[in-house]
mmCIF file of all heavy atoms in Angstrom:
data_model
loop_
_atom_site.group_PDB
_atom_site.id
_atom_site.type_symbol
_atom_site.label_atom_id
_atom_site.label_comp_id
_atom_site.label_asym_id
_atom_site.label_seq_id
_atom_site.Cartn_x
_atom_site.Cartn_y
_atom_site.Cartn_z
ATOM 1 N N GLU A 1 -2.631 7.010 15.363
ATOM 2 C CA GLU A 1 -2.681 6.036 14.285
ATOM 3 C C GLU A 1 -1.928 4.751 14.660
ATOM 4 O O GLU A 1 -1.131 4.193 13.878
ATOM 5 C CB GLU A 1 -2.093 6.650 12.982
ATOM 6 C CG GLU A 1 -2.875 7.849 12.547
ATOM 7 C CD GLU A 1 -2.155 8.686 11.486
ATOM 8 O OE1 GLU A 1 -1.039 8.310 11.089
ATOM 9 O OE2 GLU A 1 -2.736 9.719 11.055
ATOM 10 N N ALA A 2 -2.199 4.280 15.885
ATOM 11 C CA ALA A 2 -1.542 3.064 16.365
ATOM 12 C C ALA A 2 -1.869 1.878 15.453
ATOM 13 O O ALA A 2 -2.989 1.754 14.933
ATOM 14 C CB ALA A 2 -2.023 2.748 17.791
ATOM 15 N N ARG A 3 -0.896 1.025 15.237
ATOM 16 C CA ARG A 3 -1.082 -0.125 14.396
ATOM 17 C C ARG A 3 -1.330 -1.405 15.190
ATOM 18 O O ARG A 3 -1.164 -2.513 14.691
ATOM 19 C CB ARG A 3 0.073 -0.261 13.409
ATOM 20 C CG ARG A 3 0.201 1.008 12.538
ATOM 21 C CD ARG A 3 1.003 0.842 11.298
ATOM 22 N NE ARG A 3 0.949 2.088 10.500
ATOM 23 C CZ ARG A 3 1.377 2.188 9.255
ATOM 24 N NH1 ARG A 3 1.888 1.136 8.633
ATOM 25 N NH2 ARG A 3 1.294 3.317 8.590
ATOM 26 N N GLY A 4 -1.667 -1.226 16.452
ATOM 27 C CA GLY A 4 -2.104 -2.341 17.286
ATOM 28 C C GLY A 4 -3.606 -2.513 17.224
ATOM 29 O O GLY A 4 -4.261 -2.034 16.308
ATOM 30 N N GLU A 5 -4.174 -3.197 18.217
ATOM 31 C CA GLU A 5 -5.602 -3.460 18.233
ATOM 32 C C GLU A 5 -6.377 -2.157 18.524
ATOM 33 O O GLU A 5 -5.932 -1.312 19.292
ATOM 34 C CB GLU A 5 -5.956 -4.491 19.298
ATOM 35 C CG GLU A 5 -5.493 -5.901 18.959
ATOM 36 C CD GLU A 5 -6.148 -6.412 17.678
ATOM 37 O OE1 GLU A 5 -7.403 -6.247 17.557
ATOM 38 O OE2 GLU A 5 -5.447 -6.992 16.845
ATOM 39 N N PRO A 6 -7.556 -1.981 17.893
ATOM 40 C CA PRO A 6 -8.381 -0.791 18.199
ATOM 41 C C PRO A 6 -8.739 -0.747 19.682
ATOM 42 O O PRO A 6 -8.893 -1.770 20.341
ATOM 43 C CB PRO A 6 -9.619 -1.000 17.323
ATOM 44 C CG PRO A 6 -9.169 -1.940 16.236
ATOM 45 C CD PRO A 6 -8.160 -2.827 16.854
ATOM 46 N N GLN A 7 -8.868 0.473 20.204
ATOM 47 C CA GLN A 7 -9.166 0.684 21.615
ATOM 48 C C GLN A 7 -10.185 1.811 21.737
ATOM 49 O O GLN A 7 -10.423 2.574 20.808
ATOM 50 C CB GLN A 7 -7.903 1.044 22.390
ATOM 51 C CG GLN A 7 -6.790 0.040 22.359
ATOM 52 C CD GLN A 7 -7.058 -1.232 23.129
ATOM 53 O OE1 GLN A 7 -7.997 -1.273 23.928
ATOM 54 N NE2 GLN A 7 -6.238 -2.251 22.935
ATOM 55 N N HIS A 8 -10.766 1.917 22.922
ATOM 56 C CA HIS A 8 -11.668 3.016 23.231
ATOM 57 C C HIS A 8 -10.827 4.197 23.728
ATOM 58 O O HIS A 8 -10.798 4.505 24.953
ATOM 59 C CB HIS A 8 -12.700 2.602 24.262
ATOM 60 C CG HIS A 8 -13.705 1.605 23.750
ATOM 61 N ND1 HIS A 8 -14.796 1.963 23.008
ATOM 62 C CD2 HIS A 8 -13.732 0.249 23.863
ATOM 63 C CE1 HIS A 8 -15.498 0.904 22.681
ATOM 64 N NE2 HIS A 8 -14.874 -0.165 23.190
ATOM 65 N N TYR A 9 -10.164 4.859 22.806
ATOM 66 C CA TYR A 9 -9.280 5.970 23.188
ATOM 67 C C TYR A 9 -10.097 7.161 23.677
ATOM 68 O O TYR A 9 -11.086 7.569 23.021
ATOM 69 C CB TYR A 9 -8.421 6.409 21.992
ATOM 70 C CG TYR A 9 -7.344 5.400 21.665
ATOM 71 C CD1 TYR A 9 -7.482 4.520 20.602
ATOM 72 C CD2 TYR A 9 -6.147 5.355 22.397
ATOM 73 C CE1 TYR A 9 -6.495 3.589 20.293
ATOM 74 C CE2 TYR A 9 -5.142 4.447 22.096
ATOM 75 C CZ TYR A 9 -5.321 3.559 21.029
ATOM 76 O OH TYR A 9 -4.348 2.654 20.748
ATOM 77 N N VAL A 10 -9.670 7.747 24.782
ATOM 78 C CA VAL A 10 -10.374 8.905 25.345
ATOM 79 C C VAL A 10 -10.344 10.080 24.380
ATOM 80 O O VAL A 10 -11.353 10.776 24.188
ATOM 81 C CB VAL A 10 -9.773 9.283 26.699
ATOM 82 C CG1 VAL A 10 -10.302 10.638 27.166
ATOM 83 C CG2 VAL A 10 -10.095 8.218 27.746
ATOM 84 N N SER A 11 -9.229 10.294 23.724
ATOM 85 C CA SER A 11 -9.139 11.446 22.832
ATOM 86 C C SER A 11 -10.074 11.294 21.631
ATOM 87 O O SER A 11 -10.626 12.266 21.146
ATOM 88 C CB SER A 11 -7.703 11.665 22.331
ATOM 89 O OG SER A 11 -7.229 10.545 21.582
ATOM 90 N N SER A 12 -10.284 10.067 21.181
ATOM 91 C CA SER A 12 -11.226 9.845 20.072
ATOM 92 C C SER A 12 -12.651 10.113 20.523
ATOM 93 O O SER A 12 -13.456 10.726 19.783
ATOM 94 C CB SER A 12 -11.101 8.391 19.562
ATOM 95 O OG SER A 12 -9.853 8.162 18.979
ATOM 96 N N LYS A 13 -13.005 9.671 21.719
ATOM 97 C CA LYS A 13 -14.347 9.971 22.251
ATOM 98 C C LYS A 13 -14.501 11.473 22.416
ATOM 99 O O LYS A 13 -15.558 12.052 22.090
ATOM 100 C CB LYS A 13 -14.566 9.305 23.598
ATOM 101 C CG LYS A 13 -14.242 7.826 23.694
ATOM 102 C CD LYS A 13 -15.241 6.973 22.951
ATOM 103 C CE LYS A 13 -14.951 5.484 23.195
ATOM 104 N NZ LYS A 13 -15.774 4.608 22.360
ATOM 105 N N LEU A 14 -13.433 12.114 22.925
ATOM 106 C CA LEU A 14 -13.468 13.568 23.119
ATOM 107 C C LEU A 14 -13.724 14.285 21.813
ATOM 108 O O LEU A 14 -14.544 15.229 21.753
ATOM 109 C CB LEU A 14 -12.110 14.003 23.703
ATOM 110 C CG LEU A 14 -11.837 15.499 23.733
ATOM 111 C CD1 LEU A 14 -12.679 16.176 24.791
ATOM 112 C CD2 LEU A 14 -10.358 15.770 23.978
ATOM 113 N N MET A 15 -13.091 13.842 20.727
ATOM 114 C CA MET A 15 -13.268 14.506 19.465
ATOM 115 C C MET A 15 -14.648 14.237 18.863
ATOM 116 O O MET A 15 -15.182 15.038 18.086
ATOM 117 C CB MET A 15 -12.156 14.115 18.486
ATOM 118 C CG MET A 15 -10.754 14.530 18.955
ATOM 119 S SD MET A 15 -10.590 16.303 19.242
ATOM 120 C CE MET A 15 -10.460 16.894 17.543
ATOM 121 N N CYS A 16 -15.233 13.073 19.186
ATOM 122 C CA CYS A 16 -16.620 12.839 18.778
ATOM 123 C C CYS A 16 -17.566 13.785 19.542
ATOM 124 O O CYS A 16 -18.531 14.311 18.990
ATOM 125 C CB CYS A 16 -17.009 11.379 19.019
ATOM 126 S SG CYS A 16 -16.309 10.243 17.828
ATOM 127 N N TRP A 17 -17.277 13.975 20.820
ATOM 128 C CA TRP A 17 -18.052 14.979 21.599
ATOM 129 C C TRP A 17 -17.916 16.333 20.938
ATOM 130 O O TRP A 17 -18.922 17.064 20.739
ATOM 131 C CB TRP A 17 -17.537 15.039 23.025
ATOM 132 C CG TRP A 17 -17.972 16.307 23.720
ATOM 133 C CD1 TRP A 17 -19.179 16.534 24.319
ATOM 134 C CD2 TRP A 17 -17.226 17.523 23.858
ATOM 135 N NE1 TRP A 17 -19.225 17.824 24.819
ATOM 136 C CE2 TRP A 17 -18.033 18.456 24.551
ATOM 137 C CE3 TRP A 17 -15.947 17.909 23.464
ATOM 138 C CZ2 TRP A 17 -17.608 19.735 24.861
ATOM 139 C CZ3 TRP A 17 -15.518 19.189 23.772
ATOM 140 C CH2 TRP A 17 -16.332 20.089 24.451
ATOM 141 N N LEU A 18 -16.681 16.680 20.523
ATOM 142 C CA LEU A 18 -16.458 17.979 19.901
ATOM 143 C C LEU A 18 -17.256 18.092 18.605
ATOM 144 O O LEU A 18 -17.835 19.166 18.310
ATOM 145 C CB LEU A 18 -14.950 18.138 19.623
ATOM 146 C CG LEU A 18 -14.493 19.486 19.074
ATOM 147 C CD1 LEU A 18 -14.581 20.574 20.121
ATOM 148 C CD2 LEU A 18 -13.064 19.383 18.552
ATOM 149 N N ALA A 19 -17.288 17.008 17.828
ATOM 150 C CA ALA A 19 -18.001 17.043 16.544
ATOM 151 C C ALA A 19 -19.479 17.392 16.787
ATOM 152 O O ALA A 19 -20.054 18.273 16.089
ATOM 153 C CB ALA A 19 -17.857 15.686 15.850
ATOM 154 N N MET A 20 -20.111 16.724 17.719
ATOM 155 C CA MET A 20 -21.539 16.921 17.906
ATOM 156 C C MET A 20 -21.835 18.230 18.651
ATOM 157 O O MET A 20 -22.849 18.881 18.389
ATOM 158 C CB MET A 20 -22.127 15.715 18.609
ATOM 159 C CG MET A 20 -22.169 14.527 17.673
ATOM 160 S SD MET A 20 -22.743 12.992 18.373
ATOM 161 C CE MET A 20 -21.308 12.442 19.296
ATOM 162 N N ASP A 21 -20.925 18.654 19.537
ATOM 163 C CA ASP A 21 -21.075 19.951 20.180
ATOM 164 C C ASP A 21 -20.996 21.078 19.146
ATOM 165 O O ASP A 21 -21.818 21.977 19.139
ATOM 166 C CB ASP A 21 -19.988 20.098 21.255
ATOM 167 C CG ASP A 21 -20.083 21.468 21.922
ATOM 168 O OD1 ASP A 21 -20.914 21.650 22.839
ATOM 169 O OD2 ASP A 21 -19.287 22.373 21.532
ATOM 170 N N ARG A 22 -19.992 20.974 18.271
ATOM 171 C CA ARG A 22 -19.813 22.045 17.262
ATOM 172 C C ARG A 22 -20.942 21.994 16.225
ATOM 173 O O ARG A 22 -21.405 23.015 15.742
ATOM 174 C CB ARG A 22 -18.470 21.927 16.563
ATOM 175 C CG ARG A 22 -17.225 22.107 17.428
ATOM 176 C CD ARG A 22 -17.388 23.122 18.546
ATOM 177 N NE ARG A 22 -16.133 23.456 19.163
ATOM 178 C CZ ARG A 22 -15.866 23.412 20.463
ATOM 179 N NH1 ARG A 22 -16.826 23.015 21.284
ATOM 180 N NH2 ARG A 22 -14.700 23.761 20.953
ATOM 181 N N ALA A 23 -21.362 20.787 15.869
ATOM 182 C CA ALA A 23 -22.474 20.664 14.916
ATOM 183 C C ALA A 23 -23.750 21.287 15.487
ATOM 184 O O ALA A 23 -24.527 21.934 14.762
ATOM 185 C CB ALA A 23 -22.703 19.196 14.574
ATOM 186 N N SER A 24 -24.004 21.069 16.784
ATOM 187 C CA SER A 24 -25.153 21.657 17.435
ATOM 188 C C SER A 24 -25.134 23.193 17.335
ATOM 189 O O SER A 24 -26.124 23.834 17.024
ATOM 190 C CB SER A 24 -25.240 21.218 18.870
ATOM 191 O OG SER A 24 -26.309 21.825 19.551
ATOM 192 N N ARG A 25 -23.961 23.752 17.577
ATOM 193 C CA ARG A 25 -23.815 25.224 17.520
ATOM 194 C C ARG A 25 -24.002 25.724 16.079
ATOM 195 O O ARG A 25 -24.620 26.765 15.840
ATOM 196 C CB ARG A 25 -22.461 25.626 18.059
ATOM 197 C CG ARG A 25 -22.257 25.301 19.528
ATOM 198 C CD ARG A 25 -20.789 25.461 19.912
ATOM 199 N NE ARG A 25 -20.545 24.879 21.228
ATOM 200 C CZ ARG A 25 -20.325 25.590 22.335
ATOM 201 N NH1 ARG A 25 -20.363 26.898 22.303
ATOM 202 N NH2 ARG A 25 -20.076 24.978 23.489
ATOM 203 N N LEU A 26 -23.460 24.968 15.134
ATOM 204 C CA LEU A 26 -23.604 25.354 13.721
ATOM 205 C C LEU A 26 -25.053 25.235 13.267
ATOM 206 O O LEU A 26 -25.551 26.061 12.470
ATOM 207 C CB LEU A 26 -22.705 24.498 12.825
ATOM 208 C CG LEU A 26 -21.214 24.831 12.908
ATOM 209 C CD1 LEU A 26 -20.366 23.688 12.390
ATOM 210 C CD2 LEU A 26 -20.899 26.136 12.162
#
């Protein structure tokens, strides 16, 4: 929850991958 400028955080991309991977399984 950084209060600086938005960035392309790896962990955020990772969690988007997780969302679609888990959605596919569901």
